[in-house]
Amino acid sequence: MIKKEMIAMLLAGGQGSRLGVLTSKVAKPAVAFGGKYRIIDFPLSNCINSGVDTVGVLTQYQPLRLNTHIGIGIPWDLDRNIGGVTVLPPYEKSSNSEWYTGTANAIYQNLEYMESYNPDYVLILSGDHIYKMDYEVMLDFHKANGAEVTIAVMPVPMEEASRFGIMIADENRRITEFEEKPEHPRSNLASMGIYIFNWKTLREALIAMADQPALDFGKHVIPYCHEKGAPLYAYEFTGYWKDVGTLSSYWEANMELIDIVPEFNLYEEYWKIYTKSEVQPPQYLSSDSVIERSIVGEGTDIYGEVYNSVIGCGVTIGKGTVVRDSIIMNHAQIGEGCVLNKAIVAEEVKIENNVTLGEGEEAANDTAPHIYNHGLVTIGEKSVIPKGVSIGKNSVVFGVTDASDYPDSRLGSGKTLIKAGEQ
Amino acid sequence: MRAIGIVLAGGNNHRMQELTQRRAICAMPVAGTYRSIDFTLSNMSNSHIQRVAVLTQYNAKSLNEHLSSSKWWDFGRKQGGLSVLTPAVTAENSNWYRGTADAIYQNLAFLKNSHEPYVVIASGDGVYKMDYNKVLEYHIEKKADITIVCRDMEPEINVERFGTVRMNEESRVEEMEEKPLQAKTNTISCGIYVLRRRQLIEMIEKCAEEDRYDFVRDILIRYKDVKRIYGYKMKDYWRNIASVEDYYSTNMDFLKPDVRDYFFKQYPDIYSKVDDLPPAKYNPGANVRNSLVSSGCIVNGVVENSVVFKKSYIGNNCVIKNSIILNDVYIGDNTYIENCIVESRGTIRANSRYVGDEGNIQIVVERNNERYIM
């Protein structure tokens, strides 16, 4: 007989459109983070470190990279005879085939998967946060309070509270009310999008609400449970937790890793973060190289200078190149004599010699100022930048570009150059 | 591939000094992130050999740990896979492996229960890349009984610690000497052999009947005039790490761009056990030149012309020159290390100084009890 006390359902289908070209070809959870990791490594590692060995990963948007990364779960020790990791894409049904239309709808469409493990509790996670959390402790809290639903919350500054789903709890942490992005928040406990449900409660709610379009946990399922009088509790988490949903927060979270003793420490022995290691050789630093305040992944060759940066695996940084405050993802090739300032260079980008990124004065981006801001230059994956060009701040380049795309060898600040479909 | 693999990983020798007190030579860390047996195992995997036995005996703990899962080399198969065979006391036998041939004899069942027609035997201390299929093709083309992989060593290398081989113009082996006092040729045996499985079983059984135990002396040298033994010359990079000097120079070879390109960038890859370590971190004060640094390291000081293995910590104001720092070493502030090999899991106290000579590399073994906590 198969029995798992708690299984996890990890929502990894979202596009994460606020990451701009970084998620043009990959789902947000598969975006590289911290040199050698991908965002989904954090919740997956939390699962196995918390003793949750059955994880359904719900995919929908651009799943190829995510599927390749997860495989059969070997890096997280989630290759199990019973349970382990299962990738759950939307599928055709005899009637009513549809995409996943909302977070809870995705879970609803996989009731059978959950049923097959005969769980007592179901943990709902999202694949786009950087944090270390022991879900077992949260489960203990859930049991001790006799809760039917427990929502992980985190105190946020009152002035930012209106950006979140806010929980109002009594002194016993029982939730009395909640508000979605309130204009005048009455509490600062923000929902982290992490829930533990009693399986029966979840099942009943999902079936009852099945016809609701775009069925969502925050908007529909939690209010439904609350109306039915189910005890809802808020589990307060005070550790490091970072939403990397925007380019600037993504960049900041990466930069925090290079502090001497970072708040989010990857070097702790007892809570390792696992990932699929694509590259194994050591990194090489040449006689001319300079490196300070940076982290660097395996197999990277550095011939230039690197300051305050996060460098992935299998990267080459050419001689005479100076990289500052930048994120360079796996297998990017940076030529010689380049200057990179506050650049986010995605995977397998090729930058030819004497290219300057992040030059000149700031100017608001002409197509999507809400995405490309904070002076960052973003280069989408597999892009090619021809030699000798200079690219300004708040700009974005995606695709194989050549000299004819850069009048006077320049792309000014705030400009967008996207040559989609030509790769 | 139509062959099974046998990796001889039992050996030890005094030329490795303190370095093999705690591990077999095959478990020696190489090139920052590998162990020497990874090269042979990856070669076997990349040659599509699916059934591999590793024969181990001496100080096998860290080797066994390294081989605790066979998935890293893609040997986690339903058909075949990786077996680690240690000497076992049975009703008929209560001996350790008394030699390489005896080691194979004691595991003859592995050979007898296979169905592949050929066997590739390789020692586990070589650092090289090789497609054994090429050797097998050559073996078949020459209608050889045994094929030995040979290599012409560079004139500056002293070949007296190897087995030397002299071949005729058809590449048939005419003379073979084990560790000659005065070498007549610079062609050496790389310790890689291809032969028919039934031929091997026959020879090994004969050997055992006559109380002979050594594969090189009692099979290769003894049979060279009776059996058709051929040499296959390999021309690519090959080193073995059976002495401190070789171990040091082989690691230092990886600072050369062509060697790194050959092993790290060109197809096929060398695989190793994955350790789940974070990226290497360079704090203010780090100054690293012409060096290899592995994952999990934290560098606060100067590193020059050195190979730093996994998970090492190099303190403030340290200077590490022309040295090899093995896995998981903590080096306290203001330490100076030159021309040394620092043994793994050591804790070097702050303000220490260790200086070896260029021709006489010092081995540093520091087992201080105070261990750092991250």
Side-chain angles (χ1 to χ4, degrees):
Chain A
M1 188 198 161
I2 292 176
K3 170 81 195 162
K4 297 278 180 186
E5 188 187 24
M6 180 159 79
I7 64 169
M9 299 296 274
L10 209 168
L11 297 159
Q15 178 182 357
S17 54
R18 286 173 304 155
L19 286 179
V21 292
L22 295 187
T23 52
S24 290
K25 294 276 174 180
V26 294
K28 180 163 146 188
V31 170
F33 183 86
K36 63 182 287 192
Y37 305 98
R38 297 186 186 280
I39 296 171
I40 197 171
D41 292 335
F42 296 86
L44 277 181
S45 301
N46 285 342
C47 279
I48 197 67
N49 288 340
S50 307
V52 177
D53 68 1
T54 305
V55 185
V57 179
L58 298 119
T59 63
Q60 174 157 285
Y61 177 80
Q62 290 279 17
L64 178 61
R65 179 80 49 80
L66 202 52
N67 288 340
T68 326
H69 184 66
I70 293 171
I72 58 166
I74 287 176
W76 306 272
D77 222 358
L78 285 169
D79 51 328
R80 297 289 164 129
N81 287 337
I82 296 169
V85 66
T86 310
V87 176
L88 303 168
Y91 55 95
E92 194 177 12
K93 301 163 196 71
S94 53
S95 63
N96 188 33
S97 297
E98 56 176 0
W99 294 101
Y100 294 152
T101 57
T103 52
N105 175 266
I107 305 291
Y108 169 72
Q109 291 195 41
N110 290 287
L111 277 177
E112 253 177 85
Y113 169 81
M114 294 182 284
E115 193 93 71
S116 69
Y117 290 105
N118 190 17
D120 295 330
Y121 308 98
V122 177
L123 171 68
I124 309 286
L125 302 170
S126 62
D128 46 9
H129 298 137
I130 306 298
Y131 64 112
K132 294 180 190 172
M133 182 173 182
D134 192 341
Y135 305 129
E136 215 170 4
V137 176
M138 180 168 167
L139 180 62
D140 290 343
F141 174 90
H142 180 84
K143 288 183 200 165
N145 287 301
E148 285 190 35
V149 185
T150 297
I151 301 170
V153 296
M154 126 153 239
V156 294
M158 211 61 183
E159 57 273 19
E160 284 180 34
S162 55
R163 283 173 37 216
F164 296 91
I166 293 296
M167 305 290 141
I168 297 147
D170 66 17
E171 66 277 12
N172 299 319
R173 296 276 162 207
R174 183 163 176 164
I175 295 171
T176 53
E177 264 182 278
F178 41 81
E179 306 170 311
E180 191 66 18
K181 298 185 180 152
E183 218 172 296
H184 303 288
R186 285 184 285 151
S187 142
N188 68 340
L189 296 177
S191 165
M192 300 163 66
I194 300 167
Y195 313 103
I196 290 177
F197 281 91
N198 283 358
W199 166 235
K200 284 202 184 92
T201 310
L202 177 66
R203 191 172 179 280
E204 194 271 320
L206 289 175
I207 291 171
M209 301 283 290
D211 293 331
Q212 168 70 41
L215 187 62
D216 184 87
F217 276 103
K219 290 195 195 100
H220 309 116
V221 176
I222 302 289
Y224 173 85
C225 295
H226 189 53
E227 266 164 45
K228 291 285 242 180
L232 272 60
Y233 278 82
Y235 171 73
E236 193 174 320
F237 178 74
T238 48
Y240 183 94
W241 182 83
K242 195 93 177 179
D243 177 42
V244 288
T246 64
L247 274 182
S248 56
S249 65
Y250 171 80
W251 180 81
E252 268 166 31
N254 271 284
M255 291 302 135
E256 282 168 6
L257 294 174
I258 61 179
D259 291 338
I260 294 185
V261 182
E263 196 183 339
F264 188 77
N265 195 345
L266 292 168
Y267 295 78
E268 277 170 347
E269 278 292 313
Y270 60 90
W271 202 271
K272 276 192 177 180
I273 305 299
Y274 304 97
T275 189
K276 183 180 175 194
S277 290
E278 296 165 29
V279 189
Q280 293 196 318
Q283 49 199 264
Y284 175 74
L285 295 99
S286 81
S287 308
D288 310 310
S289 72
V290 180
I291 184 156
E292 215 178 76
R293 270 178 63 83
S294 297
I295 59 174
V296 181
E298 283 99 338
T300 285
D301 291 344
I302 297 179
Y303 299 92
E305 301 176 22
V306 177
Y307 306 94
N308 303 330
S309 295
V310 174
I311 314 287
C313 303
V315 172
T316 304
I317 294 176
K319 203 172 165 179
T321 290
V322 181
V323 177
R324 272 180 213 280
D325 308 320
S326 295
I327 298 166
I328 297 179
M329 299 187 201
N330 295 356
H331 304 295
Q333 307 295 315
I334 317 286
E336 297 179 2
C338 298
V339 178
L340 278 69
N341 281 317
K342 282 186 90 171
I344 300 177
V345 178
E347 293 172 53
E348 294 175 58
V349 165
K350 189 170 180 350
I351 296 181
E352 294 179 2
N353 295 347
N354 304 315
V355 166
T356 305
L357 300 184
E359 196 193 44
E361 296 295 307
E362 274 201 42
N365 186 266
D366 53 3
T367 50
H370 59 291
I371 296 175
Y372 304 107
N373 45 39
H374 284 75
L376 295 164
V377 191
T378 310
I379 314 291
E381 70 171 45
K382 293 184 182 153
S383 297
V384 175
I385 313 276
K387 64 171 191 279
V389 304
S390 98
I391 297 174
K393 298 187 165 84
N394 296 331
S395 54
V396 51
V397 177
F398 184 38
V400 179
T401 62
D402 54 48
S404 66
D405 297 310
Y406 300 87
D408 305 327
S409 298
R410 278 199 85 228
L411 184 74
S413 288
K415 291 283 184 275
T416 302
L417 174 55
I418 294 182
K419 293 178 87 178
E422 289 181 29
Q423 299 195 30
Chain B
M1 193 182 177
R2 296 179 302 150
I4 54 172
I6 292 179
V7 181
L8 300 172
N12 178 44
N13 70 48
H14 58 91
R15 282 172 301 155
M16 288 299 271
Q17 301 173 26
E18 295 96 319
L19 290 174
T20 48
Q21 277 181 3
R22 285 195 307 168
R23 59 171 95 75
I25 291 179
C26 296
M28 282 303 292
V30 176
T33 49
Y34 301 93
R35 298 209 177 232
S36 69
I37 199 169
D38 290 335
F39 293 87
T40 297
L41 287 180
S42 301
N43 288 336
M44 292 212 168
S45 179
N46 290 329
S47 305
H48 307 291
I49 297 178
Q50 297 203 345
R51 258 169 77 83
V52 174
V54 177
L55 304 184
T56 131
Q57 165 163 290
Y58 173 82
N59 220 347
K61 186 174 141 277
S62 68
L63 187 61
N64 287 340
E65 254 168 47
H66 188 63
L67 302 178
S68 64
S69 170
S70 55
K71 59 178 109 176
W72 313 120
W73 304 271
D74 214 9
F75 288 128
R77 307 281 113 210
K78 267 174 94 174
Q79 303 290 323
L82 185 74
S83 337
V84 180
L85 303 174
T86 45
V89 174
T90 63
E92 296 92 45
N93 174 49
S94 56
N95 290 306
W96 293 90
Y97 296 156
R98 287 163 288 183
T100 43
D102 188 41
I104 298 173
Y105 179 73
Q106 289 193 30
N107 295 291
L108 214 53
F110 174 77
L111 286 174
K112 288 188 166 170
N113 295 342
S114 304
H115 57 81
E116 289 83 349
Y118 295 97
V119 183
V120 175
I121 302 175
S123 69
D125 59 359
V127 175
Y128 65 108
K129 268 189 185 182
M130 175 169 257
D131 183 352
Y132 299 123
N133 288 299
K134 298 246 166 69
V135 188
L136 181 58
E137 274 165 30
Y138 176 91
H139 176 82
I140 292 168
E141 183 197 308
K142 288 283 182 189
K143 299 194 173 63
D145 289 314
I146 303 175
T147 299
I148 303 174
V149 176
C150 304
R151 190 173 185 277
D152 292 338
M153 295 307 275
E154 295 75 2
E156 70 270 16
I157 290 178
N158 182 357
V159 297
E160 282 157 21
R161 58 191 182 76
F162 297 108
T164 57
V165 178
R166 202 169 54 76
M167 296 182 250
N168 67 13
E169 59 279 12
E170 263 127 45
S171 299
R172 184 162 172 182
V173 173
E174 291 194 327
E175 217 183 311
M176 200 174 170
E177 272 189 283
E178 186 68 333
K179 303 186 176 74
L181 282 176
Q182 191 149 31
K184 298 186 197 98
T185 157
N186 68 334
T187 308
I188 59 132
S189 156
C190 299
I192 304 162
Y193 319 104
V194 172
L195 69 169
R196 266 185 26 252
R197 183 173 55 91
R198 290 188 187 287
Q199 172 86 72
L200 178 64
I201 293 173
E202 194 186 294
M203 286 173 147
I204 293 283
E205 282 183 329
K206 188 102 189 296
C207 243
E209 268 170 36
E210 296 167 352
D211 288 330
R212 295 174 190 274
Y213 306 122
D214 189 69
F215 188 77
V216 174
R217 198 177 53 233
D218 299 326
I219 292 184
L220 297 180
I221 296 180
R222 194 168 140 84
Y223 282 88
K224 71 175 187 307
D225 299 327
V226 192
K227 296 285 182 187
R228 292 167 59 84
I229 302 183
Y230 278 78
Y232 170 94
K233 275 206 183 159
M234 80 170 292
K235 300 203 168 59
D236 295 319
Y237 186 95
W238 177 88
R239 289 286 181 272
N240 92 337
I241 54 158
S243 72
V244 170
E245 297 76 44
D246 291 323
Y247 179 70
Y248 179 81
S249 67
T250 302
N251 275 295
M252 289 302 170
D253 276 348
F254 281 84
L255 295 179
K256 299 174 187 158
D258 53 324
V259 174
R260 276 202 319 282
D261 185 66
Y262 177 66
F263 280 101
F264 297 163
K265 302 273 157 83
Q266 285 176 33
Y267 177 85
D269 285 344
I270 304 296
Y271 316 108
S272 188
K273 184 180 177 183
V274 171
D275 272 344
D276 299 299
L277 293 167
K281 188 156 184 262
Y282 301 89
N283 285 330
N287 184 352
V288 184
R289 279 154 199 262
N290 190 35
S291 296
L292 285 167
V293 178
S294 310
S295 45
C297 287
I298 299 180
V299 181
N300 296 291
V302 176
V303 180
E304 262 181 54
N305 308 322
S306 296
V307 180
V308 184
F309 285 71
K310 296 176 185 175
K311 235 180 119 183
S312 287
Y313 177 89
I314 295 172
N316 294 314
N317 296 318
C318 286
V319 177
I320 316 289
K321 268 188 189 168
N322 310 328
S323 292
I324 294 172
I325 312 292
L326 294 183
N327 296 309
D328 200 8
V329 172
Y330 179 91
I331 300 178
D333 296 350
N334 313 317
T335 293
Y336 186 91
I337 296 177
E338 190 176 349
N339 296 326
C340 287
I341 298 174
V342 180
E343 175 60 301
S344 59
R345 279 179 214 101
T347 301
I348 308 286
R349 290 198 175 93
N351 310 311
S352 306
R353 191 181 159 85
Y354 298 92
V355 181
D357 287 327
E358 228 165 279
N360 185 16
I361 300 303
Q362 191 186 342
I363 295 172
V364 179
V365 184
E366 279 292 352
R367 303 253 181 283
N368 294 318
N369 285 330
E370 72 247 39
R371 198 67 176 115
Y372 64 99
I373 296 162
M374 285 288 195

mmCIF file with all atom_site columns, all heavy atoms in Angstrom, chain B residues 2-14:
data_model
loop_
_atom_site.group_PDB
_atom_site.id
_atom_site.type_symbol
_atom_site.label_atom_id
_atom_site.label_alt_id
_atom_site.label_comp_id
_atom_site.label_asym_id
_atom_site.label_entity_id
_atom_site.label_seq_id
_atom_site.pdbx_PDB_ins_code
_atom_site.Cartn_x
_atom_site.Cartn_y
_atom_site.Cartn_z
_atom_site.occupancy
_atom_site.B_iso_or_equiv
_atom_site.pdbx_formal_charge
_atom_site.auth_seq_id
_atom_site.auth_comp_id
_atom_site.auth_asym_id
_atom_site.auth_atom_id
_atom_site.pdbx_PDB_model_num
ATOM 1  N N   . ARG B 1 2  ? 31.502 -4.676 -27.140 1.00 0.00 ? 2  ARG B N   1
ATOM 2  C CA  . ARG B 1 2  ? 31.500 -6.106 -26.875 1.00 0.00 ? 2  ARG B CA  1
ATOM 3  C C   . ARG B 1 2  ? 32.576 -6.485 -25.861 1.00 0.00 ? 2  ARG B C   1
ATOM 4  O O   . ARG B 1 2  ? 33.303 -7.450 -26.048 1.00 0.00 ? 2  ARG B O   1
ATOM 5  C CB  . ARG B 1 2  ? 31.709 -6.858 -28.185 1.00 0.00 ? 2  ARG B CB  1
ATOM 6  C CG  . ARG B 1 2  ? 30.559 -6.641 -29.150 1.00 0.00 ? 2  ARG B CG  1
ATOM 7  C CD  . ARG B 1 2  ? 30.809 -7.368 -30.435 1.00 0.00 ? 2  ARG B CD  1
ATOM 8  N NE  . ARG B 1 2  ? 32.052 -6.948 -31.070 1.00 0.00 ? 2  ARG B NE  1
ATOM 9  C CZ  . ARG B 1 2  ? 32.805 -7.736 -31.832 1.00 0.00 ? 2  ARG B CZ  1
ATOM 10 N NH1 . ARG B 1 2  ? 32.491 -8.987 -32.016 1.00 0.00 ? 2  ARG B NH1 1
ATOM 11 N NH2 . ARG B 1 2  ? 33.898 -7.269 -32.394 1.00 0.00 ? 2  ARG B NH2 1
ATOM 12 N N   . ALA B 1 3  ? 32.729 -5.694 -24.860 1.00 0.00 ? 3  ALA B N   1
ATOM 13 C CA  . ALA B 1 3  ? 33.754 -5.992 -23.866 1.00 0.00 ? 3  ALA B CA  1
ATOM 14 C C   . ALA B 1 3  ? 33.253 -5.646 -22.471 1.00 0.00 ? 3  ALA B C   1
ATOM 15 O O   . ALA B 1 3  ? 32.365 -4.817 -22.313 1.00 0.00 ? 3  ALA B O   1
ATOM 16 C CB  . ALA B 1 3  ? 35.025 -5.201 -24.175 1.00 0.00 ? 3  ALA B CB  1
ATOM 17 N N   . ILE B 1 4  ? 33.838 -6.318 -21.490 1.00 0.00 ? 4  ILE B N   1
ATOM 18 C CA  . ILE B 1 4  ? 33.615 -5.909 -20.109 1.00 0.00 ? 4  ILE B CA  1
ATOM 19 C C   . ILE B 1 4  ? 34.891 -5.235 -19.616 1.00 0.00 ? 4  ILE B C   1
ATOM 20 O O   . ILE B 1 4  ? 35.943 -5.359 -20.251 1.00 0.00 ? 4  ILE B O   1
ATOM 21 C CB  . ILE B 1 4  ? 33.268 -7.115 -19.200 1.00 0.00 ? 4  ILE B CB  1
ATOM 22 C CG1 . ILE B 1 4  ? 34.337 -8.186 -19.318 1.00 0.00 ? 4  ILE B CG1 1
ATOM 23 C CG2 . ILE B 1 4  ? 31.892 -7.659 -19.554 1.00 0.00 ? 4  ILE B CG2 1
ATOM 24 C CD1 . ILE B 1 4  ? 34.182 -9.306 -18.331 1.00 0.00 ? 4  ILE B CD1 1
ATOM 25 N N   . GLY B 1 5  ? 34.807 -4.531 -18.524 1.00 0.00 ? 5  GLY B N   1
ATOM 26 C CA  . GLY B 1 5  ? 35.968 -3.812 -18.026 1.00 0.00 ? 5  GLY B CA  1
ATOM 27 C C   . GLY B 1 5  ? 36.416 -4.311 -16.662 1.00 0.00 ? 5  GLY B C   1
ATOM 28 O O   . GLY B 1 5  ? 35.584 -4.679 -15.833 1.00 0.00 ? 5  GLY B O   1
ATOM 29 N N   . ILE B 1 6  ? 37.732 -4.345 -16.470 1.00 0.00 ? 6  ILE B N   1
ATOM 30 C CA  . ILE B 1 6  ? 38.265 -4.621 -15.138 1.00 0.00 ? 6  ILE B CA  1
ATOM 31 C C   . ILE B 1 6  ? 39.221 -3.481 -14.800 1.00 0.00 ? 6  ILE B C   1
ATOM 32 O O   . ILE B 1 6  ? 40.124 -3.173 -15.580 1.00 0.00 ? 6  ILE B O   1
ATOM 33 C CB  . ILE B 1 6  ? 39.014 -5.971 -15.098 1.00 0.00 ? 6  ILE B CB  1
ATOM 34 C CG1 . ILE B 1 6  ? 38.015 -7.116 -15.273 1.00 0.00 ? 6  ILE B CG1 1
ATOM 35 C CG2 . ILE B 1 6  ? 39.775 -6.123 -13.797 1.00 0.00 ? 6  ILE B CG2 1
ATOM 36 C CD1 . ILE B 1 6  ? 38.665 -8.484 -15.265 1.00 0.00 ? 6  ILE B CD1 1
ATOM 37 N N   . VAL B 1 7  ? 38.985 -2.829 -13.682 1.00 0.00 ? 7  VAL B N   1
ATOM 38 C CA  . VAL B 1 7  ? 39.865 -1.750 -13.250 1.00 0.00 ? 7  VAL B CA  1
ATOM 39 C C   . VAL B 1 7  ? 40.685 -2.253 -12.074 1.00 0.00 ? 7  VAL B C   1
ATOM 40 O O   . VAL B 1 7  ? 40.121 -2.673 -11.055 1.00 0.00 ? 7  VAL B O   1
ATOM 41 C CB  . VAL B 1 7  ? 39.063 -0.500 -12.842 1.00 0.00 ? 7  VAL B CB  1
ATOM 42 C CG1 . VAL B 1 7  ? 40.005 0.618  -12.421 1.00 0.00 ? 7  VAL B CG1 1
ATOM 43 C CG2 . VAL B 1 7  ? 38.173 -0.037 -13.977 1.00 0.00 ? 7  VAL B CG2 1
ATOM 44 N N   . LEU B 1 8  ? 41.989 -2.247 -12.231 1.00 0.00 ? 8  LEU B N   1
ATOM 45 C CA  . LEU B 1 8  ? 42.866 -2.685 -11.139 1.00 0.00 ? 8  LEU B CA  1
ATOM 46 C C   . LEU B 1 8  ? 43.122 -1.481 -10.245 1.00 0.00 ? 8  LEU B C   1
ATOM 47 O O   . LEU B 1 8  ? 43.788 -0.529 -10.642 1.00 0.00 ? 8  LEU B O   1
ATOM 48 C CB  . LEU B 1 8  ? 44.167 -3.232 -11.717 1.00 0.00 ? 8  LEU B CB  1
ATOM 49 C CG  . LEU B 1 8  ? 43.991 -4.430 -12.667 1.00 0.00 ? 8  LEU B CG  1
ATOM 50 C CD1 . LEU B 1 8  ? 45.303 -4.789 -13.334 1.00 0.00 ? 8  LEU B CD1 1
ATOM 51 C CD2 . LEU B 1 8  ? 43.415 -5.634 -11.937 1.00 0.00 ? 8  LEU B CD2 1
ATOM 52 N N   . ALA B 1 9  ? 42.559 -1.534 -9.044  1.00 0.00 ? 9  ALA B N   1
ATOM 53 C CA  . ALA B 1 9  ? 42.615 -0.357 -8.174  1.00 0.00 ? 9  ALA B CA  1
ATOM 54 C C   . ALA B 1 9  ? 43.153 -0.716 -6.805  1.00 0.00 ? 9  ALA B C   1
ATOM 55 O O   . ALA B 1 9  ? 42.914 -0.011 -5.835  1.00 0.00 ? 9  ALA B O   1
ATOM 56 C CB  . ALA B 1 9  ? 41.214 0.255  -8.064  1.00 0.00 ? 9  ALA B CB  1
ATOM 57 N N   . GLY B 1 10 ? 43.873 -1.817 -6.734  1.00 0.00 ? 10 GLY B N   1
ATOM 58 C CA  . GLY B 1 10 ? 44.270 -2.299 -5.414  1.00 0.00 ? 10 GLY B CA  1
ATOM 59 C C   . GLY B 1 10 ? 45.563 -1.717 -4.908  1.00 0.00 ? 10 GLY B C   1
ATOM 60 O O   . GLY B 1 10 ? 45.893 -1.805 -3.740  1.00 0.00 ? 10 GLY B O   1
ATOM 61 N N   . GLY B 1 11 ? 46.329 -1.080 -5.802  1.00 0.00 ? 11 GLY B N   1
ATOM 62 C CA  . GLY B 1 11 ? 47.730 -0.848 -5.503  1.00 0.00 ? 11 GLY B CA  1
ATOM 63 C C   . GLY B 1 11 ? 48.045 0.242  -4.522  1.00 0.00 ? 11 GLY B C   1
ATOM 64 O O   . GLY B 1 11 ? 47.253 1.135  -4.263  1.00 0.00 ? 11 GLY B O   1
ATOM 65 N N   . ASN B 1 12 ? 49.249 0.144  -4.004  1.00 0.00 ? 12 ASN B N   1
ATOM 66 C CA  . ASN B 1 12 ? 49.804 1.210  -3.194  1.00 0.00 ? 12 ASN B CA  1
ATOM 67 C C   . ASN B 1 12 ? 51.299 1.119  -3.361  1.00 0.00 ? 12 ASN B C   1
ATOM 68 O O   . ASN B 1 12 ? 51.835 0.088  -3.718  1.00 0.00 ? 12 ASN B O   1
ATOM 69 C CB  . ASN B 1 12 ? 49.444 1.028  -1.730  1.00 0.00 ? 12 ASN B CB  1
ATOM 70 C CG  . ASN B 1 12 ? 50.071 2.126  -0.910  1.00 0.00 ? 12 ASN B CG  1
ATOM 71 O OD1 . ASN B 1 12 ? 50.050 3.276  -1.287  1.00 0.00 ? 12 ASN B OD1 1
ATOM 72 N ND2 . ASN B 1 12 ? 50.673 1.757  0.198   1.00 0.00 ? 12 ASN B ND2 1
ATOM 73 N N   . ASN B 1 13 ? 51.990 2.196  -3.140  1.00 0.00 ? 13 ASN B N   1
ATOM 74 C CA  . ASN B 1 13 ? 53.439 2.086  -3.090  1.00 0.00 ? 13 ASN B CA  1
ATOM 75 C C   . ASN B 1 13 ? 54.009 3.159  -2.211  1.00 0.00 ? 13 ASN B C   1
ATOM 76 O O   . ASN B 1 13 ? 53.344 4.155  -1.903  1.00 0.00 ? 13 ASN B O   1
ATOM 77 C CB  . ASN B 1 13 ? 54.042 2.106  -4.495  1.00 0.00 ? 13 ASN B CB  1
ATOM 78 C CG  . ASN B 1 13 ? 53.907 3.476  -5.131  1.00 0.00 ? 13 ASN B CG  1
ATOM 79 O OD1 . ASN B 1 13 ? 54.224 4.483  -4.515  1.00 0.00 ? 13 ASN B OD1 1
ATOM 80 N ND2 . ASN B 1 13 ? 53.415 3.504  -6.347  1.00 0.00 ? 13 ASN B ND2 1
ATOM 81 N N   . HIS B 1 14 ? 55.250 2.949  -1.835  1.00 0.00 ? 14 HIS B N   1
ATOM 82 C CA  . HIS B 1 14 ? 55.873 3.866  -0.885  1.00 0.00 ? 14 HIS B CA  1
ATOM 83 C C   . HIS B 1 14 ? 56.254 5.192  -1.531  1.00 0.00 ? 14 HIS B C   1
ATOM 84 O O   . HIS B 1 14 ? 56.539 6.160  -0.853  1.00 0.00 ? 14 HIS B O   1
ATOM 85 C CB  . HIS B 1 14 ? 57.119 3.211  -0.305  1.00 0.00 ? 14 HIS B CB  1
ATOM 86 C CG  . HIS B 1 14 ? 58.092 2.824  -1.367  1.00 0.00 ? 14 HIS B CG  1
ATOM 87 N ND1 . HIS B 1 14 ? 59.078 3.651  -1.786  1.00 0.00 ? 14 HIS B ND1 1
ATOM 88 C CD2 . HIS B 1 14 ? 58.177 1.712  -2.138  1.00 0.00 ? 14 HIS B CD2 1
ATOM 89 C CE1 . HIS B 1 14 ? 59.751 3.076  -2.769  1.00 0.00 ? 14 HIS B CE1 1
ATOM 90 N NE2 . HIS B 1 14 ? 59.223 1.901  -3.002  1.00 0.00 ? 14 HIS B NE2 1
#
